[in-house]
Amino acid sequence: DAGKLPFEDNSFDAVVSTLVFCSLPDPQRALSEIRRVLRPGGKFFFWEHVYAPENSPFLRTAQNVLNPLQQVLADGCHLNRDTLRTVEASGVFSEVKHQNYLFDNLWVIGPHVTGVATAPP
């Protein structure tokens, strides 16, 4: 359960997440838990598929239309979840660096982001 990690505070130098935030019921709670278990200055590394950028209205529309079906077929996965924005707005990291990617051959799950969020010192 990403919303209640079974570890003590300040236990890890790094936490890694790959393609999981799309299906978490409460991403903000998971980010708070990640921050809780990270040591000061610890790193949260993430790779997630995300909501298409605003300059891709067709892809965004397709993600929105297909999102209910995707949630049923893919264990609660949200096609239109903006995980980068959630990480940046969480208020639990002192710095967030990222890189966006678009894998055209994956169509509605083609937009991806990788990043590193740093816990405050």
Side-chain angles (χ1 to χ4, degrees):
D1 179 5
K4 189 173 182 180
L5 298 174
F7 306 106
E8 294 184 23
D9 295 0
N10 305 314
S11 297
F12 297 99
D13 294 320
V15 172
V16 178
S17 165
T18 58
L19 303 173
V20 70
F21 268 78
C22 62
S23 58
L24 293 176
D26 188 349
Q28 179 60 50
R29 176 129 173 91
L31 290 169
S32 295
E33 276 295 282
I34 289 168
R35 172 58 194 98
R36 181 185 66 76
V37 302
L38 277 175
R39 292 185 176 123
K43 305 292 185 186
F44 168 46
F45 298 92
F46 57 94
W47 170 36
E48 301 289 335
H49 74 84
V50 293
Y51 200 26
E54 290 181 9
N55 66 352
S56 299
F58 177 77
L59 185 52
R60 285 173 75 99
T61 298
Q63 287 177 315
N64 288 327
V65 168
L66 294 172
N67 193 55
L69 179 62
Q70 175 76 0
Q71 289 179 39
V72 171
L73 297 177
D75 198 27
C77 173
H78 292 75
L79 292 172
N80 56 2
R81 187 164 279 174
D82 193 346
T83 300
L84 175 61
R85 187 167 294 174
T86 302
V87 171
E88 291 175 329
S90 69
V92 298
F93 300 105
S94 58
E95 178 181 52
V96 178
K97 295 181 180 179
H98 75 280
Q99 178 70 44
N100 292 87
Y101 302 91
L102 179 60
F103 298 100
D104 291 328
N105 58 331
L106 296 177
W107 193 49
V108 293
I109 61 168
H112 284 71
V113 66
T114 60
V116 180
T118 304

